[in-house]
Amino acid sequence: MVAIDAPADGRRLHPVSPVIDVITWLPRMWPLVFVALSRSWGPLVLGSAVAVFAVVGGVRWATTTYAFDGRELVVASGLWNRTVRRAPVDRVQQVDVVRKLRHQALGVSLVQVKLADAGPLGGDIALDVLSIAEAESMKVALEQARRSAVLGDGVAASVPPPPEHELLRVSDTLLAVGGVTGASLLFVPAGVFALMSMLDDARLDDDAGRVLGDLSVVVGGLGFVIVSIGVAAVVSVLRSHGYRMARRATDLVIERGLLERRATVVPLARVQVVVLHQNLVRRRLGLASVDVATAGRLTGEGSGSANDSVPVVRLADASAVVRVAMGARDVPDADRATVPVAIRRLVRRRFIVGAAATIWVPIVFGVPWSWVTLVAAAAGAASGVPAGRARRHGIGADAVIVESGVVAWRSAVVPLDRVQSWSVTQSPFQRRHGLHHVSIHVSGVRTVRVLDVSAAQSAALVSALRRSVG
Amino acid sequence: MAMPDDPDVTPADVDARPGVDRPVDPLVWPAEEGLHHLHPAAPRIWRMVTVSWAVVSGAAAIIAGLVIAGVAGAVIGAGVGAVVVALAWWYPARRYRYWRYRIGDDALELRRGVWFRSSSAVPFHRIQQIDVEQGPLQRRHEVVTLRLRTAAAASEGQIPHLAAAEADLLRDRLLAIARSETDDGH
């Protein structure tokens, strides 16, 4: 049996780690804080809770050590159950140095080393927290070690670190536009809905106050919409202020954030899939966002950072990022359209979904309301045609491209040499029309699905996937 | 971008043209060459599980019918339960019939599914780990489940109910192939 050995020359995390723990945990105990503040014994309970968190954080600090010998990062932690995690340099998917507001206030950084590990411990090693200098030197040491693994120790040591070539910067104005046109756009319909319902309520007022009431409601509603848009814009700017992407040798370096500063290093060799997103509004404005995904999977704090690599840029810049992320591989055209029978199937499915989702309306409110179900079913069916036409894919010598969506359009490029496995499925309804779904699995949790392709198309896809492993 | 399989025609042309020599449908494996079945005990094990659940569901349906609509409801519940039990008895044999695996040139291929057909492939050089698992029912029938893990969380490399000896041989063979593929530079 192999003993679990902590690194002999292990270093400790920064001594303010327990303080960071308290600051992190306390907001999650908000019900306790809320109750404590309204009672005379509250401060005592709150103080006890802080003391407990501080002790737990102190024990975590005292029992956690890390060491990096140039080949692997070793982190030992735990009091009763000792865990030693080893991360060989050649398995590192991505390195993030994060400085949230609390880190900035205390002059420390969080280092996240993401691994392709779907196990119970999650896919990352977090050094929470190190001094700023220590975090930077750890990042540099990991990069140096990776270069040594590629070039050899002697060569890497003699060659100076490669220069950075800036690929793009995103201005605050563009980030604000991105916030308003992105997922935060959902704030706007909510605001409009609020305005409409308030107007509806105002009609119940007496005649004398009607004009004034309507006016105040209109102003209030418009104000709500403007605030919603403003919040979306501000959140986007706070999240990605100072966004900068650069290429350094075979790595992508991304820096972003105002309150939470994040510096990410993505080795291009670890890129599993690149996804370009556009919604209807962004398409009109010629904007897009890009998701450069590695196999790294984060749990807990900072999760999701591997996504949304480029929050919003001009479409030409987004396409350039896709090409850079794909390295020397050719990006194929999505030249294979959905077969007509698949579009007809999608129309039928959406008709049924539209009808099924609203069938309760005539049941509850009576037969005269059947038009709601008819309209929903017709709208569903009508949306099936553009949705079916938007589904396209292409097969190249080095990659597969899959496009889908109308309102939220996405184009995923999968390097063939990154494919881990694949599967072809067929439901009884698809069998009638000879259609298949093809799922392409890459490292991590990503799966790219090519929906409702003909048997010949799925055979061509599988043939390309086979060639990649042949 | 020219298509590697047929650069002169559009994909739609290829799909529409009758009698064209096109790649084989991935869900239709030619003949039975190299195909392997699961252990003959597989349908029995599946049946024990599905019928147990069906009996419990049938009993619940009878009780629910009795509570909601009296004896008539109980009769309807019993009818529903009988259908569920019959399906649970019939389904494992069909499932066994469609379950096949084969060791291809570069990948382990699995085919399964009665209503929802599925064909998956796990390239040998992507195999990260091979687990052999055995539950209580499997122990009684001396079969195991072979689980192939890749770096993709969604990979579907699992062969249920293989004879234990056959699973050991298959595991060693897959590991040997995976090792040789890796040594070849994959």
Side-chain angles (χ1 to χ4, degrees):
Chain A
M1 183 172 165
V2 179
I4 295 182
D5 295 327
D9 55 345
R11 297 167 65 89
R12 289 203 192 285
L13 301 174
H14 195 280
V16 301
S17 283
V19 181
I20 294 282
D21 286 345
V22 171
I23 298 173
T24 306
W25 291 336
L26 216 49
R28 295 175 191 172
M29 303 294 289
W30 66 267
L32 177 67
V33 175
F34 187 73
V35 171
L37 290 177
S38 62
R39 297 283 191 277
S40 58
W41 41 263
L44 184 67
V45 173
L46 206 55
S48 305
V50 169
V52 168
F53 288 144
V55 168
V56 172
V59 170
R60 188 182 73 86
W61 174 79
T63 55
T64 302
T65 54
Y66 71 95
F68 182 60
D69 64 0
R71 286 191 171 74
E72 64 177 5
L73 174 65
V74 184
V75 179
S77 61
L79 181 63
W80 303 114
N81 298 313
R82 291 291 288 169
T83 302
V84 178
R85 295 198 67 188
R86 295 175 185 276
V89 167
D90 60 350
R91 290 286 179 258
V92 171
Q93 301 285 326
Q94 187 175 320
V95 180
D96 284 8
V97 176
V98 183
R99 299 193 71 208
K100 295 182 181 237
L101 202 55
R102 51 180 171 270
H103 298 125
Q104 292 181 38
L106 293 168
V108 290
S109 293
L110 161 67
V111 177
Q112 294 172 327
V113 181
K114 300 179 190 175
L115 308 167
D117 175 9
L121 292 175
D124 69 311
I125 290 180
L127 299 174
D128 189 6
V129 289
L130 303 181
S131 69
I132 295 173
E134 216 167 348
E136 281 304 315
S137 67
M138 173 59 74
K139 190 178 82 167
V140 170
L142 282 165
E143 286 175 27
Q144 172 77 16
R146 265 194 313 106
R147 286 198 304 135
S148 296
V150 175
L151 302 173
D153 287 343
V155 178
S158 62
V159 175
E164 280 188 8
H165 299 288
E166 189 168 286
L167 295 174
L168 60 93
R169 275 181 187 275
V170 183
S171 67
D172 285 349
T173 312
L174 193 53
L175 286 172
V177 173
V180 173
T181 58
S184 309
L185 191 66
L186 294 173
F187 284 105
V188 179
V192 172
F193 178 75
L195 173 66
M196 288 173 65
S197 55
M198 287 166 79
L199 276 172
D200 198 39
D201 291 344
R203 288 198 191 98
L204 299 175
D205 293 346
D206 57 67
D207 289 341
R210 189 167 187 168
V211 175
L212 188 62
D214 280 356
L215 271 177
S216 63
V217 164
V218 168
V219 172
L222 280 175
F224 187 81
V225 171
I226 290 167
V227 168
S228 299
I229 291 172
V231 167
V234 169
V235 166
S236 175
V237 172
L238 288 178
R239 191 163 176 260
S240 302
H241 169 76
Y243 184 94
R244 175 177 171 273
M245 177 183 272
R247 180 168 180 172
R248 187 167 58 211
T250 55
D251 296 339
L252 275 183
V253 181
I254 300 168
E255 293 168 358
R256 68 196 293 182
L258 186 62
L259 299 182
E260 178 185 328
R261 291 293 299 165
R262 182 179 286 272
T264 303
V265 179
V266 182
L268 287 172
R270 296 296 183 202
V271 172
Q272 303 293 325
V273 54
V274 186
V275 188
L276 196 145
H277 299 270
Q278 265 192 323
N279 60 31
L280 281 177
V281 180
R282 285 188 176 177
R283 186 176 286 192
R284 282 271 172 204
L285 298 173
L287 302 175
S289 59
V290 184
D291 185 1
V292 179
T294 64
R297 190 187 68 157
L298 265 182
T299 54
E301 193 170 13
S303 59
S305 62
N307 302 325
D308 194 17
S309 306
V310 185
V312 61
V313 279
R314 301 271 167 216
L315 183 58
D317 291 334
S319 302
V321 170
V322 172
R323 282 195 297 276
V324 169
M326 289 295 291
R329 305 177 190 95
D330 271 342
V331 179
D333 294 328
D335 52 6
R336 295 175 180 238
T338 308
V339 289
V341 68
I343 297 178
R344 286 199 293 275
R345 179 175 129 81
L346 196 56
V347 168
R348 276 195 299 274
R349 283 189 62 173
R350 292 200 170 196
F351 178 88
I352 293 168
V353 168
T358 53
I359 193 70
W360 61 273
V361 175
I363 292 173
V364 173
F365 296 107
V367 176
W369 285 87
S370 300
W371 63 270
V372 174
T373 305
L374 287 174
V375 168
S383 72
V385 176
R389 287 183 180 151
R391 286 181 183 173
R392 306 178 68 84
H393 70 277
I395 304 169
D398 307 315
V400 170
I401 186 167
V402 183
E403 295 181 355
S404 63
V406 177
V407 176
W409 178 83
R410 71 198 294 272
S411 173
V413 186
V414 188
L416 284 173
D417 57 342
R418 303 281 99 193
V419 173
Q420 292 289 325
S421 65
W422 61 87
S423 58
V424 180
T425 54
Q426 187 180 54
S427 72
F429 306 106
Q430 287 178 306
R431 195 143 53 240
R432 285 174 53 198
H433 307 295
L435 298 174
H436 298 161
H437 290 330
V438 180
S439 300
I440 303 169
H441 311 298
V442 295
S443 289
V445 295
R446 295 277 181 148
T447 293
V448 174
R449 302 188 77 203
V450 195
L451 301 176
D452 279 337
V453 289
S454 68
Q457 287 175 332
S458 81
L461 269 167
V462 168
S463 171
L465 295 170
R466 273 186 205 289
R467 272 202 305 275
S468 72
V469 300
Chain B
M1 175 79 208
M3 286 178 297
D5 48 340
D6 195 349
D8 298 326
V9 293
T10 67
D13 291 336
V14 173
D15 287 349
R17 197 185 296 168
V20 162
D21 185 20
R22 65 184 64 150
V24 179
D25 183 337
L27 285 171
V28 181
W29 287 359
E32 294 289 301
E33 188 183 340
L35 294 182
H36 299 276
H37 289 271
L38 302 179
H39 192 275
R44 281 204 298 280
I45 297 171
W46 281 328
R47 192 169 286 140
M48 286 171 79
V49 176
T50 55
V51 169
S52 301
W53 278 110
V55 167
V56 171
S57 306
I62 293 170
I63 293 167
L66 194 63
V67 170
I68 294 168
V71 176
V75 171
I76 293 171
V80 171
V83 171
V84 172
V85 170
L87 276 174
W89 185 269
W90 165 84
Y91 180 73
R94 299 286 291 180
R95 188 179 176 191
Y96 173 75
R97 190 176 151 194
Y98 283 100
W99 231 114
R100 299 277 196 283
Y101 69 92
R102 76 174 170 195
I103 301 172
D105 295 334
D106 308 299
L108 177 72
E109 299 174 44
L110 315 171
R111 190 181 68 179
R112 61 197 174 280
V114 179
W115 288 300
F116 292 84
R117 303 266 166 84
S118 168
S119 169
S120 20
V122 182
F124 296 132
H125 73 276
R126 295 299 193 197
I127 294 173
Q128 301 270 333
Q129 180 180 331
I130 301 178
D131 294 340
V132 178
E133 299 166 359
Q134 192 176 43
L137 285 175
Q138 289 180 314
R139 205 148 38 236
R140 194 176 150 203
H141 290 91
E142 294 179 351
V143 294
V144 296
T145 295
L146 197 71
R147 196 185 296 275
L148 278 66
R149 297 184 194 274
T150 69
S155 282
E156 298 166 6
Q158 177 181 313
I159 309 177
H161 310 320
L162 279 176
E166 190 182 343
D168 283 343
L169 282 174
L170 184 57
R171 181 187 58 186
D172 294 345
R173 190 172 165 198
L174 289 175
L175 284 173
I177 296 172
R179 261 196 298 271
S180 66
E181 295 256 346
T182 307
D183 293 344
D184 289 346
H186 281 283

